Amino acid sequence: MDLSAFPYLQGNYAPVSEERDLAEAELRVEGEIPKKLRGAFMRDGANVAFQPNHYVYPLDGDGMVHAVYFKDGHVEYKNRWVETSHLKTERQFGRTIYGSVGKLLEVPPEVIEAGGEPSPVRNTANTNVLYHGGKLLAMWEGGFPHLLNNDLSTVGLFDYDGALQPGDALTAHPKICPDSGDLVSCTQRWDSPNYTVQVFDKHARHKQSIQVEFPRKGIIHDLQITQNFIVIFYAPAFHSVEKAMRGEDPFEWQPELGTKIIVIPRDGVSPQMTFETEAFFSWHFCNGFERDGKIVIDYVWINSIPFTQAQGTGVEKQPRRMYRMTLDPKSRAVTNEQFSNVFCEFSRIDERLMGKDYRLGFATCTNRDWGDAHGYNCTGSFDFETGEVALWEYGPEANAGEPVHVPNPDSDREEDGWLMCYVHNPGEGPFLSIIQAGDVAAGPVAKVHIPGRVPNGFHANWMQDLTL
Ligand SMILES: [Fe+2]
């Protein structure tokens, strides 16, 4: 492959070509792995298998999951592509067939006649990997999730026993309610602007649908729950499949429309509320909760649509900051304030406090000027009680992934858990970093060094008690 034209396929963004199984003897553990850890840390990400025609970060690339399994203080590593129908078809023909989200390609008739995947839109399965209701799912917001086995082998598309209809696109960012165990998710469709909240119970059975109507399909990536509400951002960011098929820039940013905040009662009956504010974009919520009749939402703010749409050759320049928004349902007033000036992304929390008042947010951060390096070289914690931000820098050129909070099973305290993320530090190589959540500034208590390379990726989760 010649990847030289694509900034987001350089350095540690470049794909790996091998699927590997590494036993503990092939890994190098530095420090001490907490013996209480039993389960798996898994992270999804883009890993192109064939030469791309175009590459818009972070929307393109075949999904690959990298997993470190923990049991009794011991570790193992595996990585596997998600075996999507698009990837299998390209393997069958031994070449690139499908285009990019920014530049789609017509599927040749001989591919369809031979039983290949007919849709020109690749289900990348590259965005998130989640374990809920006994199902391990690789997720992408443009289609159905893929069901995986514990060893990362692919079972196939998963439609929640028929609850998902053909054309439904399930979000890659559902939230698990810590009280009920429900998965609060949503579907969107390519052929409709509307949005449907979908709730699945703790056994992954469909439980509830709530319709939200929009005049035009927006790019809505994440959702947040509070005790009584689901909150989404409807930014003036739009994508046109027709323009993508013509090879034109398919993304539009219309700041004059502002950003709307849609508040959806979880009872599915009470009236939905719309709040309006100046235009901003966001990929990710941190948390949300209700206090004194108001709704508080913490999230990563971006000043505009962050796509490097110019033929996939641009690099993102938009600043990103942790913000706290407060919504007053009585007056419909919105306050939207920057919490910190640290450049951050991929915000996470102790998910036992999802939708509840909390103290600590975590994110991948940078302490450098945001130039063409475009890397996150720190793990950060944001203390919403004291206002303090703590950073651990892995190295000036390092790239650190999304920090996942792994609860300490013997403690209810956020601070007593651990943060896990993959880090690539030039000169040191890739490792899984384990940091005490309450003392980020002290740096890793353990590192699991992985020979070879683990490319930069997207979302990760801890799968409690999932073992090989
Ligand atoms: Fe995301």
Side-chain angles (χ1 to χ4, degrees):
M1 279 193 280
D2 176 8
L3 305 177
S4 59
F6 308 111
Y8 280 105
L9 291 172
Q10 304 303 306
N12 201 46
Y13 286 90
V16 293
S17 57
E18 286 183 324
E19 298 182 325
R20 299 185 298 163
D21 302 274
L22 300 177
E24 178 153 315
E26 299 167 272
L27 304 166
R28 181 169 65 84
V29 176
E30 187 181 342
E32 193 162 345
I33 292 173
K35 294 217 167 26
K36 296 171 190 169
L37 291 172
R38 182 182 172 87
F41 173 84
M42 295 188 181
R43 198 220 63 205
D44 205 351
N47 195 88
V48 294
F50 290 90
Q51 175 73 37
N53 70 324
H54 188 271
Y55 194 84
V56 176
Y57 178 83
L59 304 177
D60 287 309
D62 304 285
M64 178 180 274
V65 178
H66 298 259
V68 176
Y69 299 83
F70 293 78
K71 192 161 64 177
D72 306 326
H74 297 287
V75 286
E76 291 178 69
Y77 162 88
K78 278 183 187 294
N79 69 306
R80 292 288 185 279
W81 266 290
V82 182
E83 296 288 328
T84 67
S85 56
H86 289 87
L87 179 58
K88 285 197 277 195
T89 301
E90 291 191 332
R91 287 225 183 95
Q92 180 187 339
F93 285 83
R95 62 179 171 87
T96 305
I97 290 170
Y98 306 97
S100 147
V101 165
K103 198 172 185 180
L104 295 170
L105 298 174
E106 299 255 12
V107 183
E110 68 270 20
V111 170
I112 298 170
E113 283 161 21
E117 169 58 52
S119 169
V121 180
R122 184 191 301 268
N123 183 332
T124 62
N126 73 8
T127 313
N128 200 357
V129 57
L130 183 83
Y131 189 49
H132 174 258
K135 309 290 184 190
L136 180 62
L137 300 174
M139 312 187 88
W140 170 66
E141 68 185 18
F144 286 14
H146 283 77
L147 183 65
L148 307 180
N149 294 310
N150 287 8
D151 65 359
L152 304 184
S153 56
T154 302
V155 178
L157 290 171
F158 182 63
D159 67 359
Y160 280 95
D161 300 323
L164 300 183
Q165 302 299 309
D168 280 349
L170 190 76
T171 182
H173 276 290
K175 298 290 178 288
I176 297 172
C177 173
D179 297 326
S180 63
D182 286 352
L183 186 80
V184 182
S185 187
C186 76
T187 49
Q188 297 175 270
R189 296 181 61 84
W190 295 98
D191 59 5
S192 165
N194 295 335
Y195 180 100
T196 307
V197 172
Q198 306 281 14
V199 182
F200 303 95
D201 72 11
K202 62 185 176 185
H203 304 295
R205 293 179 303 216
H206 185 259
K207 184 175 175 181
Q208 184 187 21
S209 295
I210 307 170
Q211 296 291 330
V212 184
E213 293 184 3
F214 285 110
R216 186 177 177 190
K217 180 178 162 63
I219 297 172
I220 303 173
H221 183 66
D222 199 358
L223 62 85
Q224 180 60 50
I225 60 170
T226 66
Q227 187 181 358
N228 295 295
F229 302 104
I230 298 144
V231 178
I232 54 176
F233 292 150
Y234 183 72
F238 307 101
H239 176 265
S240 162
V241 172
E242 293 75 25
K243 285 186 176 179
M245 287 304 292
R246 292 198 297 267
E248 298 171 15
D249 182 350
F251 299 106
E252 286 182 26
W253 176 248
Q254 298 186 315
E256 67 279 9
L257 298 177
T259 291
K260 294 180 171 58
I261 300 109
I262 315 296
V263 176
I264 307 153
R266 288 173 65 181
D267 64 15
V269 178
S270 304
Q272 297 170 9
M273 293 179 276
T274 300
F275 297 75
E276 301 195 18
T277 189
E278 290 176 6
F280 68 90
F281 191 82
S282 177
W283 285 121
H284 300 121
F285 290 103
C286 186
N287 200 4
F289 58 92
E290 295 162 40
R291 181 195 281 163
D292 303 329
K294 294 181 180 166
I295 302 165
V296 179
I297 298 292
D298 298 327
Y299 70 100
V300 178
W301 172 94
I302 311 175
N303 67 353
S304 63
I305 193 172
F307 296 125
T308 56
Q309 62 267 47
Q311 296 305 309
T313 55
V315 171
E316 295 176 1
K317 299 290 189 192
Q318 292 91 338
R320 297 156 187 239
R321 299 285 186 270
M322 186 70 79
Y323 267 56
R324 171 160 282 192
M325 172 182 283
T326 305
L327 307 170
D328 184 342
K330 287 204 182 92
S331 66
R332 297 293 161 102
V334 181
T335 61
N336 197 20
E337 292 172 342
Q338 182 173 305
F339 177 78
S340 154
N341 64 1
V342 172
F343 197 119
C344 66
E345 201 25 292
F346 291 131
S347 43
R348 297 296 295 262
I349 59 162
D350 179 342
E351 297 199 349
R352 296 173 300 183
L353 296 171
M354 181 60 70
K356 299 171 185 281
D357 203 348
Y358 73 125
R359 179 181 168 199
L360 295 175
F362 310 99
T364 186
C365 302
T366 183
N367 60 4
R368 297 180 55 180
D369 287 336
W370 192 256
D372 284 347
H374 60 274
Y376 297 96
N377 64 335
C378 301
T379 294
S381 64
F382 297 74
D383 189 326
F384 290 100
E385 282 182 11
T386 67
E388 289 172 23
V389 178
L391 297 179
W392 174 258
E393 184 200 308
Y394 296 97
E397 302 292 334
N399 204 303
E402 175 180 56
V404 172
H405 183 277
V406 180
N408 182 330
D410 296 336
S411 170
D412 291 336
R413 286 164 37 93
E414 300 156 81
E415 298 87 336
D416 292 340
W418 299 276
L419 303 178
M420 288 191 192
C421 63
Y422 289 124
V423 178
H424 180 86
N425 188 22
E428 189 179 13
F431 57 89
L432 178 72
S433 164
I434 305 175
I435 289 181
Q436 192 72 50
D439 196 4
V440 165
V445 296
K447 294 178 178 180
V448 179
H449 292 272
I450 301 162
R453 210 156 58 71
V454 178
N456 302 340
F458 304 128
H459 296 293
N461 279 297
W462 172 253
M463 322 299 182
Q464 180 66 37
D465 295 322
L466 185 154
T467 56
L468 286 170

